[in-house]
Every structure is written in structure tokens, then in C-alpha cells.
Amino acid sequence: TDALLRLPEYRHYKFGDDLGIKEERELLGQFGNIPVFIVNHPASIKFFNLKRRPNHFGPRAYSIDLLTPKLGEMIGGGVREEECGYLKNQLRDSRLGEYLTAQGRNPVEAFAEYFETVRQEPNLGKAGYGIGFERFVAFLIGSNDILDTIAYRTLQPANYS
């Protein structure tokens, strides 16, 4: 919500809207075009397995994204939910759950192996992150073209030189 309030056209957004590259660049500009962390995203825009916490606007996920100039999100992370009952409900309520249901599939059955793994593991609390390696390299070399950072491209655009 704080990130949305910093946008000049924030009245056009509501809680749960995701930021596009235009909005990300606007936020970065407000901080002098240095990397910026966005935390505690609306739960509806994050994967179902992230731990949620209540908020007066709506549920938020324990999540973090690092935005970088030119290329946007470079790192994304979050705290994983370890309680299977919550996870199953979150899956059913997620866009992925809705999609699987619309396809005639039971979302919980589709993720049965995942739920069995979660059930077997001790509840120690888990968190993780992922880094877009090519975006990281592009940031280091000051490029805004991801194609500059891919060492071996199997599919190259016909007009790329």
C-alpha cells in the first residue's frame, strides 16, 4: 500500500493490484534510481505457499522483491507456510486454484506430492529467494537489454544483431 501511495496516479490502483514496469520505474525514480525493496505484497499476487498475515486492507504475504533500475524485479523471496491446512485453503483460493478448478482438476490433488513433502518435514520455518541471474549481470554491466547477458541463446530474434 505504501508503494502505491507513492505513485502519482495511485487513486487508479486498489489493494491487490500488481505493479508493472512503469510503476516500478516511477518508484525507483523517487529514490534516485537506486535499488529498492518492496515488502509484504498483497497475498493475492503471490504464490499460494507464502505465509500470510492479516492487514486492514487485506491479507499480505511475507514477501520481498528487489527492484533495480532499467530491468525491474531482480530478486524475489518470501517465508513459506508450513501448516498444510492453511496451504490447502490458500491454494483453493488462489488464481492457480481457480484455474485448476476451471480445468476440472482438484487443486489439492494436483499438488498432493507437494503437500505430502510439507507434511513430512519438521515445522522449522522456511524462507527462500530467487535471483534473476541475467538481470543481475545486466545490472552489473549497466545494460537494459536482457539479451546482452545471455551467454548461450538457443532462440535468437531474427532481427537481433
Side-chain angles (χ1 to χ4, degrees):
T1 307
D2 294 340
L4 289 178
L5 293 175
R6 291 184 150 279
L7 297 172
E9 300 292 323
Y10 78 91
R11 289 179 187 85
H12 295 60
Y13 299 96
K14 64 183 182 314
F15 184 81
D17 287 347
D18 202 357
L19 300 177
I21 191 70
K22 177 184 170 193
E23 294 82 13
E24 290 175 354
R25 287 182 177 158
E26 173 67 32
L27 288 171
L28 287 162
Q30 291 183 20
F31 290 96
N33 285 316
I34 61 171
V36 173
F37 283 100
I38 305 290
V39 298
N40 299 323
H41 296 79
S44 62
I45 64 172
K46 290 297 183 179
F47 202 60
F48 79 90
N49 70 342
L50 292 184
K51 189 177 281 286
R52 269 72 164 138
R53 66 182 181 85
N55 180 275
H56 62 278
F57 289 108
R60 293 190 183 243
Y62 285 101
S63 60
I64 185 167
D65 285 346
L66 175 64
L67 306 180
T68 58
K70 300 181 183 174
L71 292 167
E73 182 186 337
M74 182 191 314
I75 300 172
V79 177
R80 308 293 183 247
E81 177 61 66
E82 60 271 347
E83 173 55 49
C84 275
Y86 289 136
L87 272 172
K88 289 176 182 178
N89 288 334
Q90 288 174 189
L91 172 59
R92 286 184 198 103
D93 295 340
S94 71
R95 288 184 286 184
L96 175 59
E98 291 171 4
Y99 172 79
L100 290 170
T101 301
Q103 300 296 316
R105 298 180 64 196
N106 180 328
V108 174
E109 288 176 8
F111 281 83
E113 185 177 336
Y114 172 75
F115 288 121
E116 183 60 24
T117 302
V118 170
R119 190 188 64 73
Q120 291 175 356
E121 293 178 351
N123 290 346
L124 301 174
K126 296 173 183 70
Y129 70 94
I131 183 168
F133 184 73
E134 287 84 2
R135 289 176 185 249
F136 177 66
V137 172
F139 176 73
L140 291 177
I141 65 173
S143 174
N144 62 352
D145 188 349
I146 203 89
L147 292 177
D148 292 343
T149 66
I150 300 172
Y152 179 74
R153 288 181 238 138
T154 56
L155 299 173
Q156 193 174 66
N159 60 353
Y160 186 78
S161 51

